Amino acid sequence: MKTIGKWIGGLTIFSILIALFSMISPIILVIGGLGIWYYTKKEPNPQKMKISVVATVIGLFGCIILLGSGGSDSESSADNNANTSTAKQTEKAEVAEPETASSESVIAEVAAPEAASSESVVVEEPSIVEEPVATVPSEPVVASAPAPAAPEVSREFRNALGSANDYLNFTSFSKSGLYDQLIYEGFPEDAVQYAVDNVVTDWNANALQTAIDYLDFSSFSDQGLYDQLIYEGYSAEQAQYAIDNLPG
């Protein structure tokens, strides 16, 4: 009976924690979404951007739990009532059941023989499986010639390139915009130039994605959006490509 009471108490505490998490999950989702936008467009920061993405995922998970718990409230209530009724019936049955054991069962246990069976036990020996012997190729294996090693660059150059890739993984940049951001991060000019020259990206696609991001938050005319892309550092060809390829 104590075990059933502990189980019901633990289930109640767990349900309360899930309910509290579900209540604050919409707030976490909104804050995470605003953080993604803010640390992408207003103040680019990859580390805080990652935190905002994690918060958004947690909030979304909590909202899914909140939506799913609505349909299961009635079932949980019915299950709790059934468990309470079963616990009461079990308690009554335990009180009514006599604690004295049957005398017949005691006599049967005393009269049962304790001698082990005289039948012999046959131990089966494990069968030995012979493994096939690997064949040795008759022809010698010729190793391919090693690829020429890439030219070594300094740690500062590698870090600048890695930072450029991190920024482009979270938001879109023009080439000059990425250059200015890396300079703002404190990298020397030669390392920044190496990074923007060697980063693998499609600047036209970046311009198109930037245009789409602007239209998600505000309305622009084609000319106004073109001027905004030029202000962001995209070339005239890249800005025109974005305007011409916007989804209808």
Side-chain angles (χ1 to χ4, degrees), residues 150-158 194:
E152 291 290 333
V153 295
S154 67
R155 176 175 52 82
E156 193 81 309
F157 280 50
R158 293 194 304 271
Y194 170 84

Side-chain angles (χ1 to χ4, degrees), residues 117-201:
S117 175
S118 60
E119 296 180 357
S120 59
V121 179
V122 179
V123 179
E124 296 182 357
E125 296 182 356
S127 59
I128 301 175
V129 180
E130 296 183 357
E131 297 182 355
V133 180
T135 58
V136 180
S138 58
E139 297 181 358
V141 179
V142 180
S144 58
E152 291 290 333
V153 295
S154 67
R155 176 175 52 82
E156 193 81 309
F157 280 50
R158 293 194 304 271
N159 290 343
L161 180 58
S163 182
N165 283 317
D166 291 340
Y167 276 115
L168 291 174
N169 285 337
F170 288 99
T171 187
S172 301
F173 277 92
S174 64
K175 190 172 185 178
S176 62
L178 183 60
Y179 182 96
D180 294 338
Q181 184 63 36
L182 294 176
I183 290 293
Y184 176 78
E185 291 291 336
F187 291 102
E189 292 182 1
D190 54 349
V192 172
Q193 191 61 49
Y194 170 84
V196 297
D197 289 341
N198 290 275
V199 69
V200 179
T201 189

Side-chain angles (χ1 to χ4, degrees), residues 36-51:
I36 292 174
W37 172 79
Y38 183 81
Y39 293 116
T40 298
K41 295 300 177 184
K42 295 297 183 180
E43 186 180 341
N45 191 314
Q47 184 175 4
K48 294 182 179 179
M49 175 68 176
K50 294 178 181 178
I51 297 174

